Amino acid sequence: MHRHPTRRTLLVGAVAATALSACATGGADDDDDKGTKADATADNPFGAPADAGLEVVVFKGGYGDQYAIEAGTLYEQRFPKATVDHKGIQRVGEVLQPRFISDDPPDVVDNSGAGRLDLVTLVSSGKLTDLTELLDAPSVDDPSKKVRDTLMPGVVEDGTFDGKVLVLNYSSVLWGIWYSKSLFAKNGWTYPTTWAEMLTLCGEIKKSGIAPWTWQGKFPEYMNDPLVSLAAKAGGHELVKSVDNLEPGIWKSPSMLAAADAIYQLAAQGYILPGSEALSHTEAQNAWSKGQAAFIPCGSWLEGEQQQVTPAGFDMVLGTVPSLTGADKLPSGAVMAASSESFLVPAKAGNARGGLEYLRILFSQKVARGFAQNSKALPVVAGATDGLTLSSGLASTAETAKAAGPNMFGYRFRTWYPPLSKALDDATGELLTKRTTPDKWAARVQKAADAVAADSSVAKHKR
Protein backbone atom coordinates (compact mmCIF):
# COMPACT_ATOMS: atom_id res chain seq x y z
CA MET A 1 0.00 0.00 0.00
CA HIS A 2 1.75 3.16 -1.15
CA ARG A 3 0.95 6.27 0.83
CA HIS A 4 3.15 8.62 -1.14
CA PRO A 5 3.18 9.36 -4.88
CA THR A 6 5.25 6.90 -6.90
CA ARG A 7 6.64 7.14 -10.40
CA ARG A 8 3.68 5.17 -11.71
CA THR A 9 1.25 7.29 -9.71
CA LEU A 10 2.76 10.48 -11.04
CA LEU A 11 2.44 9.36 -14.64
CA VAL A 12 -1.19 8.47 -14.14
CA GLY A 13 -1.71 11.66 -12.19
CA ALA A 14 -0.20 13.78 -14.93
CA VAL A 15 -2.64 12.40 -17.48
CA ALA A 16 -5.52 12.81 -15.08
CA ALA A 17 -4.49 16.34 -14.22
CA THR A 18 -4.48 17.46 -17.83
CA ALA A 19 -7.84 15.93 -18.59
CA LEU A 20 -9.51 17.13 -15.42
CA SER A 21 -8.16 20.65 -15.81
CA ALA A 22 -9.45 20.83 -19.35
CA CYS A 23 -12.95 20.11 -18.12
CA ALA A 24 -12.92 22.21 -14.94
CA THR A 25 -16.35 23.42 -13.99
CA GLY A 26 -15.73 24.74 -10.48
CA GLY A 27 -17.99 25.00 -7.47
CA ALA A 28 -20.07 22.50 -5.58
CA ASP A 29 -23.54 21.55 -6.72
CA ASP A 30 -26.15 21.75 -3.96
CA ASP A 31 -28.98 20.36 -6.08
CA ASP A 32 -29.18 16.58 -5.85
CA ASP A 33 -30.74 14.97 -8.89
CA LYS A 34 -31.65 11.65 -7.28
CA GLY A 35 -34.65 11.30 -5.02
CA THR A 36 -36.58 13.92 -3.13
CA LYS A 37 -34.60 16.23 -0.90
CA ALA A 38 -35.87 16.02 2.68
CA ASP A 39 -36.14 18.72 5.31
CA ALA A 40 -33.12 18.92 7.59
CA THR A 41 -33.78 17.49 11.03
CA ALA A 42 -31.69 16.53 14.05
CA ASP A 43 -31.50 12.95 12.75
CA ASN A 44 -31.03 13.99 9.14
CA PRO A 45 -29.05 17.25 9.37
CA PHE A 46 -28.28 17.48 5.64
CA GLY A 47 -31.79 16.67 4.41
CA ALA A 48 -30.62 13.52 2.64
CA PRO A 49 -33.40 12.19 0.35
CA ALA A 50 -34.85 9.08 1.99
CA ASP A 51 -35.69 7.36 -1.30
CA ALA A 52 -32.53 8.00 -3.32
CA GLY A 53 -29.80 5.50 -4.08
CA LEU A 54 -26.23 6.19 -3.04
CA GLU A 55 -23.15 5.14 -5.01
CA VAL A 56 -19.98 4.65 -2.96
CA VAL A 57 -16.62 3.81 -4.55
CA VAL A 58 -13.90 2.76 -2.12
CA PHE A 59 -10.23 1.91 -2.59
CA LYS A 60 -9.91 -1.73 -1.56
CA GLY A 61 -6.30 -1.99 -0.47
CA GLY A 62 -4.54 -3.06 2.69
CA TYR A 63 -7.42 -1.94 4.88
CA GLY A 64 -10.02 -3.81 2.86
CA ASP A 65 -13.48 -2.24 2.56
CA GLN A 66 -15.55 -4.03 5.20
CA TYR A 67 -15.83 -0.85 7.28
CA ALA A 68 -17.24 1.06 4.32
CA ILE A 69 -19.70 -1.76 3.63
CA GLU A 70 -20.83 -1.58 7.26
CA ALA A 71 -21.40 2.17 6.92
CA GLY A 72 -23.55 1.44 3.87
CA THR A 73 -25.58 -1.09 5.82
CA LEU A 74 -26.22 1.44 8.57
CA TYR A 75 -27.19 4.01 5.93
CA GLU A 76 -29.79 1.63 4.49
CA GLN A 77 -31.14 0.96 7.98
CA ARG A 78 -31.62 4.70 8.40
CA PHE A 79 -33.19 5.10 4.95
CA PRO A 80 -34.99 1.80 4.20
CA LYS A 81 -36.12 3.00 0.76
CA ALA A 82 -32.56 3.77 -0.29
CA THR A 83 -30.02 1.32 -1.71
CA VAL A 84 -26.27 1.75 -1.38
CA ASP A 85 -24.31 0.68 -4.45
CA HIS A 86 -20.90 -0.16 -2.96
CA LYS A 87 -17.88 -0.77 -5.17
CA GLY A 88 -14.48 -1.79 -3.77
CA ILE A 89 -11.78 -1.18 -6.40
CA GLN A 90 -8.03 -0.57 -6.63
CA ARG A 91 -7.25 1.73 -9.58
CA VAL A 92 -9.43 4.62 -8.47
CA GLY A 93 -7.97 7.13 -10.93
CA GLU A 94 -8.29 4.95 -14.01
CA VAL A 95 -11.87 4.01 -13.19
CA LEU A 96 -13.21 7.38 -12.08
CA GLN A 97 -11.30 9.91 -14.14
CA PRO A 98 -13.71 9.68 -17.11
CA ARG A 99 -16.69 10.10 -14.80
CA PHE A 100 -15.26 13.22 -13.15
CA ILE A 101 -14.55 14.66 -16.60
CA SER A 102 -18.14 14.03 -17.69
CA ASP A 103 -19.50 15.35 -14.36
CA ASP A 104 -21.10 12.01 -13.58
CA PRO A 105 -19.14 10.97 -10.47
CA PRO A 106 -20.25 8.65 -7.66
CA ASP A 107 -21.72 10.16 -4.49
CA VAL A 108 -18.79 9.21 -2.24
CA VAL A 109 -15.21 8.32 -3.18
CA ASP A 110 -12.30 6.96 -1.16
CA ASN A 111 -9.49 8.37 -3.30
CA SER A 112 -6.55 6.34 -2.07
CA GLY A 113 -3.86 3.93 -3.22
CA ALA A 114 -1.45 3.97 -6.14
CA GLY A 115 -3.18 5.33 -9.23
CA ARG A 116 -5.58 7.51 -7.28
CA LEU A 117 -7.08 10.63 -8.81
CA ASP A 118 -4.85 13.71 -8.77
CA LEU A 119 -6.13 15.48 -5.67
CA VAL A 120 -4.53 18.86 -6.34
CA THR A 121 -6.22 19.00 -9.74
CA LEU A 122 -9.58 17.96 -8.31
CA VAL A 123 -9.25 20.80 -5.82
CA SER A 124 -8.17 23.44 -8.32
CA SER A 125 -10.92 22.37 -10.72
CA GLY A 126 -13.68 22.80 -8.14
CA LYS A 127 -14.64 19.14 -8.35
CA LEU A 128 -15.15 18.60 -4.62
CA THR A 129 -17.82 19.48 -2.07
CA ASP A 130 -16.86 21.66 0.91
CA LEU A 131 -17.18 19.38 3.94
CA THR A 132 -17.52 22.18 6.53
CA GLU A 133 -21.24 21.41 6.82
CA LEU A 134 -20.39 17.81 7.73
CA LEU A 135 -17.81 18.83 10.32
CA ASP A 136 -20.26 21.21 12.01
CA ALA A 137 -23.09 18.65 12.08
CA PRO A 138 -23.91 16.71 15.26
CA SER A 139 -22.03 13.44 15.55
CA VAL A 140 -23.93 10.16 15.34
CA ASP A 141 -22.76 9.02 18.78
CA ASP A 142 -23.25 12.26 20.74
CA PRO A 143 -25.47 14.96 19.20
CA SER A 144 -24.01 17.48 21.64
CA LYS A 145 -20.66 17.08 19.87
CA LYS A 146 -19.89 18.23 16.35
CA VAL A 147 -18.30 15.70 14.02
CA ARG A 148 -15.12 17.81 13.97
CA ASP A 149 -14.83 17.46 17.77
CA THR A 150 -14.75 13.65 17.54
CA LEU A 151 -11.66 13.54 15.31
CA MET A 152 -8.00 13.25 16.25
CA PRO A 153 -5.85 16.42 16.03
CA GLY A 154 -4.60 17.30 12.56
CA VAL A 155 -7.27 15.43 10.58
CA VAL A 156 -9.19 18.53 9.55
CA GLU A 157 -5.96 20.36 8.71
CA ASP A 158 -4.80 17.45 6.52
CA GLY A 159 -7.92 17.81 4.38
CA THR A 160 -7.90 21.60 4.14
CA PHE A 161 -7.03 23.33 0.88
CA ASP A 162 -6.98 27.12 0.67
CA GLY A 163 -9.22 27.40 3.71
CA LYS A 164 -11.78 24.79 2.61
CA VAL A 165 -12.07 21.27 4.02
CA LEU A 166 -12.50 19.13 0.91
CA VAL A 167 -11.21 15.75 2.05
CA LEU A 168 -11.61 13.80 5.26
CA ASN A 169 -9.08 11.06 5.92
CA TYR A 170 -10.07 7.93 7.80
CA SER A 171 -6.89 6.25 8.99
CA SER A 172 -4.25 7.69 11.28
CA VAL A 173 -0.89 6.59 9.90
CA LEU A 174 2.39 6.55 11.79
CA TRP A 175 5.70 5.78 10.10
CA GLY A 176 8.48 3.88 11.77
CA ILE A 177 10.64 0.77 11.71
CA TRP A 178 8.99 -2.63 12.21
CA TYR A 179 10.44 -5.67 13.94
CA SER A 180 9.30 -9.00 15.38
CA LYS A 181 8.96 -8.83 19.15
CA SER A 182 9.35 -12.60 19.47
CA LEU A 183 12.47 -12.67 17.26
CA PHE A 184 14.08 -9.95 19.36
CA ALA A 185 13.18 -11.71 22.62
CA LYS A 186 14.60 -15.00 21.33
CA ASN A 187 17.93 -13.35 20.50
CA GLY A 188 18.10 -10.97 23.44
CA TRP A 189 18.03 -7.89 21.20
CA THR A 190 16.75 -4.52 22.42
CA TYR A 191 15.21 -2.01 20.04
CA PRO A 192 17.65 0.94 19.73
CA THR A 193 16.86 4.49 20.85
CA THR A 194 19.71 6.17 18.92
CA TRP A 195 21.07 5.61 15.42
CA ALA A 196 24.48 4.71 16.85
CA GLU A 197 22.77 1.93 18.81
CA MET A 198 20.98 0.90 15.62
CA LEU A 199 24.25 0.39 13.75
CA THR A 200 25.76 -1.52 16.68
CA LEU A 201 22.72 -3.79 16.86
CA CYS A 202 22.82 -4.33 13.11
CA GLY A 203 26.34 -5.72 13.55
CA GLU A 204 25.06 -8.23 16.14
CA ILE A 205 22.11 -9.22 13.99
CA LYS A 206 24.32 -9.79 10.95
CA LYS A 207 26.54 -12.16 12.97
CA SER A 208 23.44 -14.24 13.76
CA GLY A 209 22.95 -14.96 10.07
CA ILE A 210 19.91 -12.71 9.65
CA ALA A 211 20.05 -9.61 7.45
CA PRO A 212 19.53 -6.55 9.68
CA TRP A 213 17.37 -4.66 7.14
CA THR A 214 15.35 -5.11 3.99
CA TRP A 215 13.43 -2.42 2.14
CA GLN A 216 10.90 -2.04 -0.66
CA GLY A 217 13.55 -1.29 -3.28
CA LYS A 218 11.21 -0.75 -6.23
CA PHE A 219 9.58 2.03 -4.23
CA PRO A 220 12.34 4.08 -2.53
CA GLU A 221 9.72 6.27 -0.84
CA TYR A 222 9.57 3.66 1.93
CA MET A 223 13.20 4.27 2.91
CA ASN A 224 12.75 8.01 2.60
CA ASP A 225 10.40 7.91 5.56
CA PRO A 226 13.05 6.99 8.15
CA LEU A 227 15.51 9.32 6.40
CA VAL A 228 13.33 12.44 6.67
CA SER A 229 12.22 11.33 10.14
CA LEU A 230 15.84 11.32 11.29
CA ALA A 231 16.30 14.78 9.77
CA ALA A 232 13.15 16.09 11.47
CA LYS A 233 14.25 14.81 14.85
CA ALA A 234 17.62 16.49 14.49
CA GLY A 235 16.38 19.74 12.97
CA GLY A 236 12.99 20.00 14.61
CA HIS A 237 9.72 21.40 13.28
CA GLU A 238 11.62 24.31 11.71
CA LEU A 239 13.41 21.92 9.35
CA VAL A 240 10.14 20.26 8.36
CA LYS A 241 8.55 23.60 7.52
CA SER A 242 11.66 24.74 5.66
CA VAL A 243 11.53 21.63 3.47
CA ASP A 244 7.86 22.18 2.67
CA ASN A 245 8.44 25.89 2.07
CA LEU A 246 11.25 25.13 -0.42
CA GLU A 247 13.79 27.11 1.61
CA PRO A 248 17.15 27.44 -0.25
CA GLY A 249 19.78 24.98 0.89
CA ILE A 250 17.62 23.00 3.32
CA TRP A 251 18.40 19.64 1.68
CA LYS A 252 22.11 20.40 2.22
CA SER A 253 21.63 21.39 5.88
CA PRO A 254 23.70 19.54 8.52
CA SER A 255 20.65 17.69 9.87
CA MET A 256 19.57 16.48 6.42
CA LEU A 257 23.09 15.46 5.45
CA ALA A 258 23.54 13.55 8.71
CA ALA A 259 20.23 11.75 8.12
CA ALA A 260 21.25 10.79 4.59
CA ASP A 261 24.58 9.49 5.87
CA ALA A 262 22.84 7.49 8.60
CA ILE A 263 20.71 5.67 6.03
CA TYR A 264 23.67 5.33 3.67
CA GLN A 265 25.62 3.51 6.39
CA LEU A 266 23.12 0.65 6.25
CA ALA A 267 24.24 -0.04 2.70
CA ALA A 268 27.88 0.88 3.21
CA GLN A 269 28.27 -1.51 6.14
CA GLY A 270 26.44 -4.37 4.43
CA TYR A 271 23.39 -4.37 6.69
CA ILE A 272 20.76 -4.73 3.94
CA LEU A 273 19.39 -8.04 2.63
CA PRO A 274 21.07 -8.64 -0.76
CA GLY A 275 18.69 -8.04 -3.66
CA SER A 276 16.35 -5.76 -1.71
CA GLU A 277 16.68 -3.02 -4.32
CA ALA A 278 14.79 -5.26 -6.79
CA LEU A 279 11.92 -6.15 -4.43
CA SER A 280 8.41 -4.75 -4.56
CA HIS A 281 6.78 -3.67 -1.32
CA THR A 282 5.01 -7.02 -0.87
CA GLU A 283 8.10 -9.06 -1.78
CA ALA A 284 10.23 -7.20 0.76
CA GLN A 285 7.55 -7.39 3.42
CA ASN A 286 7.09 -11.11 2.84
CA ALA A 287 10.84 -11.68 3.19
CA TRP A 288 10.73 -9.79 6.47
CA SER A 289 7.69 -11.76 7.68
CA LYS A 290 9.64 -14.96 6.96
CA GLY A 291 12.44 -13.80 9.26
CA GLN A 292 14.99 -13.12 6.50
CA ALA A 293 15.55 -9.59 7.86
CA ALA A 294 15.10 -8.00 11.28
CA PHE A 295 13.92 -4.49 10.30
CA ILE A 296 11.74 -3.01 7.57
CA PRO A 297 10.52 0.60 7.21
CA CYS A 298 6.79 1.06 6.70
CA GLY A 299 3.68 2.89 7.81
CA SER A 300 1.23 1.55 10.36
CA TRP A 301 -0.84 -0.21 7.70
CA LEU A 302 1.77 -2.98 7.51
CA GLU A 303 0.11 -5.39 9.93
CA GLY A 304 -3.18 -5.29 8.06
CA GLU A 305 -1.44 -5.70 4.72
CA GLN A 306 0.59 -8.69 5.95
CA GLN A 307 -2.02 -10.44 8.05
CA GLN A 308 -2.57 -13.21 5.50
CA VAL A 309 1.11 -14.21 5.32
CA THR A 310 2.51 -13.44 8.76
CA PRO A 311 3.16 -16.59 10.86
CA ALA A 312 1.51 -16.98 14.25
CA GLY A 313 3.64 -15.70 17.10
CA PHE A 314 5.55 -13.26 14.92
CA ASP A 315 4.20 -10.34 17.01
CA MET A 316 5.17 -7.45 14.77
CA VAL A 317 5.80 -4.14 16.51
CA LEU A 318 6.17 -0.58 15.22
CA GLY A 319 9.35 1.04 16.56
CA THR A 320 9.91 4.80 16.60
CA VAL A 321 12.74 5.94 14.33
CA PRO A 322 15.71 6.36 16.71
CA SER A 323 17.21 9.72 17.59
CA LEU A 324 19.89 10.85 15.15
CA THR A 325 22.14 12.67 17.63
CA GLY A 326 22.32 13.45 21.31
CA ALA A 327 21.37 17.04 20.50
CA ASP A 328 18.18 16.39 18.53
CA LYS A 329 15.57 19.15 18.74
CA LEU A 330 12.70 16.65 19.00
CA PRO A 331 12.48 13.97 21.72
CA SER A 332 13.20 10.33 20.92
CA GLY A 333 9.48 9.52 21.01
CA ALA A 334 8.65 11.98 18.23
CA VAL A 335 7.10 10.27 15.22
CA MET A 336 6.09 11.12 11.66
CA ALA A 337 2.34 10.89 11.34
CA ALA A 338 -0.52 11.87 9.08
CA SER A 339 -4.03 10.83 8.28
CA SER A 340 -4.80 8.92 5.10
CA GLU A 341 -7.56 7.08 3.21
CA SER A 342 -9.11 10.17 1.68
CA PHE A 343 -12.90 10.33 1.54
CA LEU A 344 -14.61 13.02 -0.52
CA VAL A 345 -17.99 13.96 -1.93
CA PRO A 346 -17.79 15.12 -5.56
CA ALA A 347 -19.34 18.53 -6.24
CA LYS A 348 -21.40 16.99 -9.04
CA ALA A 349 -22.57 13.98 -7.03
CA GLY A 350 -26.17 13.10 -7.79
CA ASN A 351 -26.87 12.55 -4.10
CA ALA A 352 -24.41 14.85 -2.34
CA ARG A 353 -26.73 15.19 0.68
CA GLY A 354 -26.73 11.43 1.06
CA GLY A 355 -22.96 11.42 0.60
CA LEU A 356 -22.53 13.74 3.57
CA GLU A 357 -24.82 11.59 5.70
CA TYR A 358 -22.90 8.47 4.69
CA LEU A 359 -19.67 10.11 5.88
CA ARG A 360 -21.32 11.14 9.16
CA ILE A 361 -22.12 7.46 9.74
CA LEU A 362 -18.68 6.34 8.55
CA PHE A 363 -16.99 8.53 11.16
CA SER A 364 -19.06 7.06 14.01
CA GLN A 365 -17.62 5.01 16.87
CA LYS A 366 -19.33 1.81 15.70
CA VAL A 367 -17.82 1.86 12.22
CA ALA A 368 -14.44 3.11 13.44
CA ARG A 369 -14.13 0.31 16.01
CA GLY A 370 -14.92 -2.23 13.31
CA PHE A 371 -12.23 -0.66 11.13
CA ALA A 372 -9.66 -1.03 13.93
CA GLN A 373 -10.57 -4.67 14.54
CA ASN A 374 -10.79 -5.78 10.91
CA SER A 375 -8.10 -3.62 9.30
CA LYS A 376 -5.68 -3.59 12.24
CA ALA A 377 -5.18 0.13 11.79
CA LEU A 378 -5.85 3.20 13.87
CA PRO A 379 -8.93 5.19 12.82
CA VAL A 380 -9.01 8.97 13.19
CA VAL A 381 -12.11 8.84 15.41
CA ALA A 382 -10.81 9.69 18.88
CA GLY A 383 -11.22 6.93 21.46
CA ALA A 384 -12.40 4.36 18.93
CA THR A 385 -9.93 1.72 20.15
CA ASP A 386 -10.62 2.24 23.86
CA GLY A 387 -11.51 -1.07 25.52
CA LEU A 388 -10.65 -3.17 22.47
CA THR A 389 -8.23 -6.09 22.58
CA LEU A 390 -5.69 -5.03 19.99
CA SER A 391 -3.24 -7.02 17.89
CA SER A 392 0.46 -6.50 18.63
CA GLY A 393 1.05 -4.17 15.70
CA LEU A 394 -2.00 -2.01 16.28
CA ALA A 395 -1.35 -1.90 20.02
CA SER A 396 2.22 -0.71 19.39
CA THR A 397 0.90 1.93 16.97
CA ALA A 398 -1.58 3.20 19.55
CA GLU A 399 1.14 3.23 22.23
CA THR A 400 3.52 5.09 19.92
CA ALA A 401 0.89 7.73 19.19
CA LYS A 402 0.13 8.12 22.87
CA ALA A 403 3.82 8.39 23.80
CA ALA A 404 4.50 10.97 21.09
CA GLY A 405 1.66 13.19 22.25
CA PRO A 406 2.17 16.61 20.65
CA ASN A 407 5.54 15.56 19.22
CA MET A 408 4.17 14.39 15.90
CA PHE A 409 5.35 15.86 12.64
CA GLY A 410 4.52 15.51 8.99
CA TYR A 411 5.80 16.77 5.66
CA ARG A 412 3.55 18.22 2.95
CA PHE A 413 5.95 18.46 -0.01
CA ARG A 414 4.96 15.04 -1.35
CA THR A 415 1.40 16.21 -1.92
CA TRP A 416 2.27 19.77 -2.85
CA TYR A 417 5.20 19.11 -5.20
CA PRO A 418 5.18 15.65 -6.86
CA PRO A 419 8.26 16.38 -9.03
CA LEU A 420 10.32 17.00 -5.89
CA SER A 421 8.95 13.82 -4.35
CA LYS A 422 9.96 11.81 -7.41
CA ALA A 423 13.43 13.36 -7.42
CA LEU A 424 13.87 12.42 -3.76
CA ASP A 425 12.75 8.84 -4.41
CA ASP A 426 15.13 8.45 -7.33
CA ALA A 427 18.08 9.91 -5.41
CA THR A 428 17.46 7.69 -2.37
CA GLY A 429 17.27 4.63 -4.60
CA GLU A 430 20.77 5.52 -5.78
CA LEU A 431 21.93 6.16 -2.20
CA LEU A 432 20.80 2.75 -0.94
CA THR A 433 22.63 0.99 -3.76
CA LYS A 434 25.80 3.02 -3.18
CA ARG A 435 25.63 4.57 -6.64
CA THR A 436 25.77 8.00 -5.03
CA THR A 437 27.04 9.53 -1.81
CA PRO A 438 25.18 11.55 0.84
CA ASP A 439 26.74 14.80 -0.43
CA LYS A 440 25.74 14.11 -4.03
CA TRP A 441 22.30 12.92 -2.85
CA ALA A 442 21.76 16.25 -1.07
CA ALA A 443 22.92 18.28 -4.06
CA ARG A 444 20.63 16.35 -6.40
CA VAL A 445 17.53 16.78 -4.23
CA GLN A 446 18.30 20.44 -3.54
CA LYS A 447 18.56 21.06 -7.28
CA ALA A 448 15.12 19.53 -7.74
CA ALA A 449 13.69 21.66 -4.92
CA ASP A 450 15.22 24.80 -6.41
CA ALA A 451 13.72 23.94 -9.80
CA VAL A 452 10.25 23.64 -8.28
CA ALA A 453 10.74 26.93 -6.41
CA ALA A 454 11.72 28.70 -9.63
CA ASP A 455 8.89 27.25 -11.71
CA SER A 456 6.20 29.91 -11.92
CA SER A 457 3.72 27.38 -13.31
CA VAL A 458 3.74 25.46 -10.01
CA ALA A 459 1.38 26.79 -7.34
CA LYS A 460 3.33 27.42 -4.14
CA HIS A 461 2.14 26.67 -0.62
CA LYS A 462 3.37 27.88 2.76
CA ARG A 463 3.06 26.58 6.28
Side-chain angles (χ1 to χ4, degrees):
M1 180 186 300
H2 314 300
R3 292 299 172 205
H4 301 309
T6 64
R7 180 181 304 178
R8 184 174 57 181
T9 305
L10 292 170
L11 289 172
V12 173
V15 174
T18 302
L20 287 169
S21 296
C23 297
T25 57
D29 186 356
D30 290 334
D31 297 325
D32 296 346
D33 59 12
K34 291 192 289 190
T36 304
K37 183 179 178 180
D39 293 333
T41 66
D43 292 334
N44 185 9
F46 313 115
D51 56 351
L54 186 77
E55 185 182 6
V56 179
V57 177
V58 173
F59 170 65
K60 189 174 181 180
Y63 297 139
D65 62 348
Q66 184 55 44
Y67 67 108
I69 293 173
E70 182 179 7
T73 299
L74 294 173
Y75 184 94
E76 290 178 337
Q77 290 175 1
R78 180 160 297 186
F79 303 105
K81 295 182 180 179
T83 299
V84 174
D85 178 12
H86 174 96
K87 297 182 177 71
I89 66 174
Q90 293 190 329
R91 304 293 294 178
V92 176
E94 290 179 7
V95 174
L96 295 185
Q97 180 190 336
R99 296 187 57 184
F100 271 86
I101 292 173
S102 61
D103 283 336
D104 180 34
D107 301 308
V108 176
V109 176
D110 168 16
N111 184 38
S112 303
R116 58 192 175 272
L117 290 157
D118 184 87
L119 184 57
V120 173
T121 303
L122 288 177
V123 170
S124 63
S125 303
K127 295 287 187 179
L128 307 181
T129 295
D130 189 336
L131 301 179
T132 300
E133 187 178 4
L134 166 66
L135 293 169
D136 289 335
S139 69
V140 169
D141 301 294
D142 183 356
S144 69
K145 280 188 175 180
K146 296 179 180 179
V147 171
R148 68 169 69 243
D149 296 330
T150 67
L151 305 177
M152 294 174 68
V155 177
V156 174
E157 181 185 5
D158 285 347
T160 300
F161 297 82
D162 298 326
K164 291 183 177 180
V165 184
L166 302 174
V167 171
L168 211 50
N169 295 334
Y170 200 75
S171 174
S172 180
V173 177
L174 275 61
W175 281 269
I177 301 168
W178 289 83
Y179 64 99
S180 164
K181 189 176 180 179
S182 58
L183 177 67
F184 271 51
K186 176 183 175 182
N187 289 280
W189 299 331
T190 301
Y191 187 80
T193 59
T194 67
W195 198 255
E197 291 178 0
M198 168 63 80
L199 294 178
T200 298
L201 178 58
C202 284
E204 293 181 31
I205 294 172
K206 188 176 181 180
K207 290 177 183 176
S208 75
I210 299 174
W213 278 69
T214 187
W215 65 297
Q216 303 84 341
K218 288 185 177 178
F219 306 103
E221 62 198 81
Y222 283 88
M223 195 58 106
N224 277 327
D225 296 326
L227 193 161
V228 297
S229 291
L230 287 165
K233 289 196 169 189
H237 293 294
E238 290 181 0
L239 179 141
V240 176
K241 290 181 180 179
S242 294
V243 167
D244 289 341
N245 292 338
L246 303 173
E247 296 287 342
I250 189 61
W251 290 95
K252 295 181 178 179
S253 65
S255 295
M256 193 64 80
L257 271 172
D261 184 65
I263 294 298
Y264 175 74
Q265 289 305 318
L266 297 176
Q269 298 188 32
Y271 291 155
I272 297 177
L273 179 71
S276 292
E277 68 273 15
L279 300 180
S280 68
H281 62 298
T282 53
E283 290 169 339
Q285 292 162 191
N286 289 347
W288 171 75
S289 292
K290 293 176 181 175
Q292 296 176 14
F295 295 115
I296 190 168
C298 198
S300 52
W301 63 82
L302 180 65
E303 186 178 39
E305 197 166 57
Q306 291 298 105
Q307 60 182 317
Q308 301 300 323
V309 297
T310 302
F314 187 79
D315 293 338
M316 66 174 69
V317 175
L318 174 69
T320 305
V321 173
S323 298
L324 181 56
T325 73
D328 281 3
K329 291 185 177 179
L330 296 181
S332 60
V335 63
M336 190 164 78
S339 56
S340 71
E341 214 69 12
S342 305
F343 280 84
L344 56 88
V345 176
K348 292 294 183 180
N351 187 5
R353 301 272 124 201
L356 294 174
E357 180 62 16
Y358 173 89
L359 291 185
R360 195 169 75 99
I361 295 171
L362 186 77
F363 284 84
S364 67
Q365 286 277 332
K366 182 178 177 61
V367 178
R369 289 170 73 84
F371 173 81
Q373 291 176 309
N374 294 324
S375 304
K376 293 181 169 47
L378 196 64
V380 300
V381 179
T385 59
D386 291 353
L388 294 178
T389 299
L390 304 179
S391 59
S392 62
L394 181 54
S396 68
T397 300
E399 290 168 2
T400 299
K402 185 177 181 179
N407 295 304
M408 292 185 180
F409 58 88
Y411 292 87
R412 301 288 182 83
F413 71 92
R414 286 191 174 279
T415 301
W416 289 352
Y417 309 117
L420 173 58
S421 179
K422 179 179 180 298
L424 173 62
D425 291 346
D426 291 347
T428 300
E430 298 287 295
L431 185 71
L432 266 295
T433 51
K434 298 184 288 184
R435 291 193 288 268
T436 192
T437 64
D439 285 339
K440 291 179 179 178
W441 172 93
R444 180 172 170 176
V445 181
Q446 185 61 57
K447 183 179 180 180
D450 292 343
V452 172
D455 189 344
S456 60
S457 69
V458 177
K460 305 301 190 301
H461 306 275
K462 289 288 183 181
R463 57 181 301 197

